[in-house]
Structure formats: C-alpha cells, structure tokens
Amino acid sequence: MPAPPAAPKPSNFLRQVIERDLAAGAYASRRFGGSPGDAAHHAKGPPDPARIRTRFPPEPNGYLHIGHAKSVCLNFGFAAEFGGVCHLRFDDTNPEKEEQEFVDAIVEMVHWLGWSWEANGISHLYYASDYFDFMYRAAEYLIESGLAYVDEQSAEAMRANRGDFNTPGIDSPYRNRSKQENLARFREMRDGRHADGAMVLRARIDMASPNINLRDPTLYRIKRATHHNTGDRWCIYPMYTYAHPIEDALENITHSFCTLEFEDQRPFYDWLLEQLASGGLLQRPLPKQVEFGRLNLTYVITSKRKLKALVDEGHVSGWDDPRMPTLAGMRRRGYTPASIRKMAEDTGASKTNIWVDYSVLEIALRDDLEPLAARAMAVLDPLRLKLTNWSEVFGSASHREPCSAPAHPQRPELGQRAFTLGSEVWIERDDFAEVPPKGFFRLFPGNKVRLKYGMVVECTGCEKDAQGQVSAVLARVVPGTKSGTPGADAIKVKGTITWIGAHPAAEGGGVQATVRLFDRLFSAPQPDSGDGDFRDHLNPDSLRVVQGWIEPSLQRAEADLRLQFERHGYFVTDRVDHTPGAPVFNRITGLKDSWAK
Ligand code: ATP
Ligand code: MG
C-alpha cells in the first residue's frame, strides 16, 4: 500500500517574504545606531548586526492571551530563525488605559514563553511614548511640507465630509490655509491653548481616495490626560495609525507583521514613511508591513476588553484564573510554554483569519506532559474500603504493607515512589457498584479486583448510612497476591483500581488535598460570534472543587509541580494557593481528548 501523503506543512507565506527579502539583500545596507533613532542617528552606527528586525507591539492595557502568543511566537520565532532580533515594544501612545501592572505582566509572560529581546549586548525593550518628541518633529515637518493641516471642523462635520465607500469626501474649509498658519495653530495645540477636541492635525492626502484611510487621516488630537510614562508633558497625542509606522522605522524594523484588520492602513503606512524618508528624517530602506490572519481558538475569547469584563464582573477570580485564555491563566492552569509554542508553530501563518480547534492545543500539551510528568495516585471522590480479614492475614490491624510504583513507566531513572497498604483504603466512589451494570469489572459483591501496585481483594458487600447511601465497601484481601511477587499472577482479575491508604501519611497513607477540576469556561464553540452576549455562553459548571487524597510522597510537593494522577489526567500544584502543608492541585487536562466534537 502506498504511504499516505505527508500532511502539508502549515502555510507560512511570512517566512517566504523574509527569505525573498534576505535573498535580494533588501535590508543589507541598514545601519543601526545602537538604539532607536532618526536617519542621522543610525547613519553614525555600524551596519545592523541583525539580519532582520521584527517586533511584538502590545498595548499595555490588559494581559496577554493565547492570540497574542501567536504573534509573540511568530515575531520572536522568525527573528531567532533568521539571525535577527525581535523587539518588545509597548505601544503606549494612548494615555488613558495603560498601566504599569500590565507592562510588568507582559514582560513576565513573554519571558515565560521562552523569548528574549536581549541581543548583541542590547536590551531591545522599548516604549513608543519615548518617541513622542520625534513624532512631534515629524508632524511639524509634514506641516512645513504642505502635507498636514490643522482642521477645526467639528467631529460630526469631519465624519460627514469623509464620505463613504460610494461617495468621495469633501475638502475641509481649513484644508488650504498657509503653512505658517498651520504651524502656529499646531504649536498652540501643543501648548495647551485649545480645548480637548477643538481641532486635530490631519494629513493632507486625498479626500477622494477610494481608500477611506487616505482621506486626510487624523495624526494628532488634543487630550488632557496623564500618561504613565510622560506624565503631563503632553496634551496632544498621536493617533495609532500615525505612531505605529514611525515606531517601526525608528527601531529599524524590517518586517512589521500585523493582523489583517490593518491591511487597509498599509497605503498610509507607506505614504507616511516615504514622506519622512524623503525629508531625510528616516533611514532607508523602510520597514514593510505584512498582514496575517488572526488566530481564533474554539471555546475561547481573545479580546482583551471582553476578558477584562469577565474579571471585573467576577465571572472568574482574576486575569490569572486557571480557566482564562490569558497566558497568566494558562501558566497557572499548568500549560507548558513548549506546548503553546508548538501550537503557534503548527498553526502556521495564513492570509485569512483562522479558527483552530482547541484540541490542537490540548494535543500539543499532552505530548509535552506525557514524558515529563511523574505519576502518582489520587482519589478524588473518596469512599472507604474496609479489608475485613486484614488482622487475620497480617496478624494485626495496624500492619502496613509496603508498596512501590515507578515514578514514570518509561523513565526508570526517576526511581520508585513508596506508600503502604493498610486495613482501610480510599477508593473512588464510582469504582463500586452494588448492582453492576453490564461490562462493569470493578468492585461489586463477589468480584475480585487488584488494588494497583497492591493486592487482589474480593468484594463482600457494603455499609450504608441512614439515608441509604453507601458509606463503606467491604472486601477481603487475597493473601499472596501482592504486585511484584511470584504469586501476583496466580489470580486473574479483570479490573484494577487506584487507591490511597486511609491511615496517616507518616505511615505511608494518604494526604488530603484540594483539587480543582475545570471544564470549558464557555460551552459554545464560538462564544464571541453569532447572536447574543458572550456571557450567555458561560458554562456554569466550569469549576468543581473537591477534597481528595493523594500519595504521601506528595506531602511536600513544591509549587508548579506537574504530574499525572493515574486515570484522572494531568495536574499541577497551584502557583498561588498551594502550600506543602495544604496542597492545592489544578487539573491541567484529562488523559483523553475532551475538546474535539
Ligand atoms: P485585543 O483585541 O485582545 O485587545 P489587540 O490586537 O488589540 O488585541 P494588542 O496589544 O494591540 O492587542 O496586540 C499586540 C499584537 O498582538 C498585535 O500585533 C496584534 O495584531 C497581535 N494579536 C492580538 N490578537 C491576536 C490573535 N488573535 N492572533 C494573532 N495575533 C494577535
Ligand atoms: Mg490593539
């Protein structure tokens, strides 16, 4: 039979763009002044040691989410692959919503993903607000060149005169005033002589352009707001569309990768940089904007604004709630950085927005955890099992039978874990059935099962409380059947169950633990599209907290320890609430895929 065709590599047209540019030497002549700067600054520097420069430019107004991770991995990944550098740039030109807390959290999470902006002895971490002086100077240059003007039309008039897809715009009555007048007005704006919103600076391009973004876009607005970096120094702030190309150019970025919604902005990006380079303000060759499709994951929301609403309205415990698709939440949940990087790589880069099934991430996660996570037993819905002939067999009710199990079935170098079997053990409630359904091979009266790594027991019945609920299962231990001894195989059983000794941990019995079992935060595959509010799709059962029993060796488990509880899935000690004396585990994911439809 012919081999099935290999799965096509995810398309990565971005890589092709870089390869083509490198082959053509498109950026070979750049110089780098050691820090961001204008043409004169870079001209004094040596040839740029970075073959390409990319950037990840978050706005520090929230926590990074899994969608951002895609962009982080693309930008840092390409820089690493092609001998380049990726800058971490805080796009903090909007004074109102930005906070130091978010800056710190973003730095931490990009590091956590495994990326670094240190290269050639330089830390390439930048703030767009450090470029305000240059942006201002560039604006005066545009005014002096007749390429920008101060418009005093009301916001409504400006909107009405912009036209629409079918109608060309109408020139502002202020469009043709003199350069001197415009310059004076702009300086008055800067000096706080006009009210917020009284006027704006606009580029002077073409009010009839078929691309509405070229119909004299706004460059600067008046806004009295304290900025987290520049304080009250400015009362005019640049618009994002004006600021972003300049940020890229000052930093010598070669490839400015962004998501598709910026495609219509590209002509303005190029127009602006072309003007400033012609005026000698910016070094050539200029950066190039290339758009790729956003990554959307099923069952997840990737909008900072909506994630913030979940936090503010108390639907989750915080930005780092383990159910959140934020990187802080995913780290706390137990996701590995490698699994997120792998998902980013496997989903490639495409020219349309893509939907990826959440199971893609889960599969990458399990692949990563399987060889890494040590094994242990845990009982999450405990029911007492009494071995009624224990004293008879071992001569004393307090006898503890030592047992051991490999820490990892494929990694003998990790050694063995030890615990003991006693006269009473915890088992899972659903491992017992008074009347067994068809195909049930675990405990029911008359049936034999193996207590994993322990002995074979034969069920004889159960005890019930006043409500008729099963309160304990009764069984007899079968002598000579201990795992690892010659008699172990003497009796064949169809079922093996996990358990934890009900005696003190100091004698090899169990340790009590709080265990959080998570389900999807949203029950709809696309909670953010279609009808209704995304909140309508919140899953009311996304968190279940249980008290369980775990192996004694985990008594002193450190924070952020990942392991597999046999039969239950992968778990991590919670990085916030866990202490060795009072363990708290989060379930990372189950052993099998529960996400695919
Ligand atoms: P949000 O809508 O969540 O606020 P954003 O795009 O406004 O996201 P920024 O802080 O501006 O947030 O994003 C930083 C970078 O991350 C941008 O380059 C943006 O294009 C990219 N990015 C954000 N979300 C995604 C996504 N789902 N897929 C790929 N890239 C993304
Ligand atoms: Mg944004």
Side-chain angles (χ1 to χ4, degrees), residues 98-110:
E98 293 150 1
E99 283 176 34
Q100 190 61 38
E101 176 199 349
F102 299 134
V103 169
D104 296 341
I106 290 169
V107 163
E108 191 180 343
M109 294 327 295
V110 177

Side-chain angles (χ1 to χ4, degrees), residues 193-497:
R193 308 255 312 269
H194 299 283
D196 287 14
M199 55 193 71
V200 294
L201 183 72
R202 295 177 78 173
R204 193 164 180 277
I205 308 177
D206 179 5
M207 286 306 290
S209 171
N211 182 338
I212 293 178
N213 296 297
L214 292 180
R215 294 184 188 172
D216 294 7
T218 301
L219 309 180
Y220 266 95
R221 68 207 157 120
I222 306 174
K223 178 117 237 157
R224 286 174 177 77
T226 304
H227 187 279
H228 80 113
N229 184 20
T230 55
D232 292 323
R233 212 185 124 211
W234 296 92
C235 66
I236 54 170
Y237 288 96
M239 304 301 287
Y240 177 86
T241 44
Y242 173 72
H244 200 86
I246 293 180
E247 295 158 21
D248 284 343
L250 292 175
E251 292 181 18
N252 249 11
I253 299 303
T254 56
H255 299 86
S256 180
F257 297 123
C258 63
T259 38
L260 282 178
E261 64 270 26
F262 294 102
E263 189 170 5
D264 289 347
Q265 295 288 354
R266 188 174 0 115
F268 176 70
Y269 184 105
D270 292 338
W271 178 90
L272 176 64
L273 294 186
E274 186 53 43
Q275 304 309 326
L276 298 178
S278 303
L281 277 75
L282 293 175
Q283 172 183 224
R284 290 184 197 273
L286 292 164
K288 165 195 296 200
Q289 173 179 308
V290 190
E291 308 86 19
F292 66 96
R294 271 180 109 81
L295 170 75
N296 298 295
L297 278 180
T298 55
Y299 297 101
V300 157
I301 275 179
T302 51
S303 149
K304 269 183 282 190
R305 189 172 56 78
K306 288 175 184 163
L307 294 175
K308 184 171 186 311
L310 292 178
V311 174
D312 291 347
E313 295 165 17
H315 298 292
V316 294
S317 65
W319 286 100
D320 68 345
D321 186 301
R323 291 166 294 176
M324 287 282 271
T326 53
L327 296 180
M330 294 175 75
R331 174 176 67 172
R332 190 168 170 196
R333 175 72 170 266
Y335 278 80
T336 59
S339 63
I340 295 174
R341 288 199 307 266
K342 173 126 192 335
M343 185 279 297
E345 183 156 319
D346 287 354
T347 51
S350 102
K351 289 188 191 182
T352 51
N353 292 331
I354 54 167
W355 275 94
V356 170
D357 202 274
Y358 200 87
S359 56
V360 171
L361 183 54
E362 294 278 302
I363 290 164
L365 177 63
R366 269 191 225 100
D367 286 351
D368 198 30
L369 289 174
E370 160 56 32
L372 178 130
R375 307 307 202 250
M377 287 198 290
V379 173
L380 302 185
D381 185 10
L383 178 62
R384 197 177 284 272
L385 170 71
K386 297 181 177 173
L387 300 175
T388 52
N389 62 340
W390 188 263
S391 315
E392 228 172 277
V393 174
F394 291 107
S396 144
S398 62
H399 172 78
R400 310 288 177 230
E401 187 61 17
C403 303
S404 72
H408 192 290
Q410 278 84 47
R411 296 177 60 193
E413 75 279 9
L414 295 183
Q416 298 277 311
R417 48 190 226 261
F419 42 90
T420 62
L421 185 59
S423 61
E424 297 195 356
V425 301
W426 297 113
I427 60 166
E428 295 293 343
R429 182 164 285 277
D430 66 4
D431 278 345
F432 171 73
E434 206 176 357
V435 182
K438 205 165 167 276
F440 186 86
F441 297 121
R442 290 165 283 160
L443 286 167
F444 58 87
N447 194 38
K448 293 194 186 77
V449 303
R450 172 169 295 282
L451 298 179
K452 196 167 188 187
Y453 312 117
M455 298 176 72
V456 172
V457 299
E458 177 171 5
C459 183
T460 55
C462 65
E463 293 173 355
K464 290 184 181 175
D465 61 18
Q467 285 76 43
Q469 263 252 41
V470 175
S471 54
V473 178
L474 305 175
R476 294 170 65 83
V477 57
V478 182
T481 56
K482 183 145 163 229
S483 300
T485 67
D489 294 330
I491 294 180
K492 291 274 177 255
V493 293
K494 279 192 170 166
T496 298
I497 64 173

Side-chain angles (χ1 to χ4, degrees), residues 116-127:
S116 165
W117 43 88
E118 313 276 334
N120 309 309
I122 298 171
S123 170
H124 298 88
L125 187 153
Y126 301 119
Y127 290 86

Side-chain angles (χ1 to χ4, degrees), residues 534-590:
F534 67 97
R535 296 170 188 83
D536 299 343
H537 302 295
L538 279 165
N539 173 6
D541 303 316
S542 60
L543 170 63
R544 199 154 60 86
V545 182
V546 300
Q547 295 296 318
W549 293 94
I550 60 177
E551 282 183 26
S553 61
L554 296 174
Q555 208 165 10
R556 276 173 297 279
E558 71 269 30
D560 259 335
L561 173 77
R562 294 183 184 88
L563 47 78
Q564 185 194 104
F565 285 141
E566 301 189 25
R567 300 169 72 202
H568 288 298
Y570 294 99
F571 291 76
V572 65
T573 47
D574 186 79
R575 64 196 329 273
V576 178
D577 300 323
H578 170 84
T579 57
V584 180
F585 282 88
N586 298 328
R587 178 151 65 191
I588 309 171
T589 180

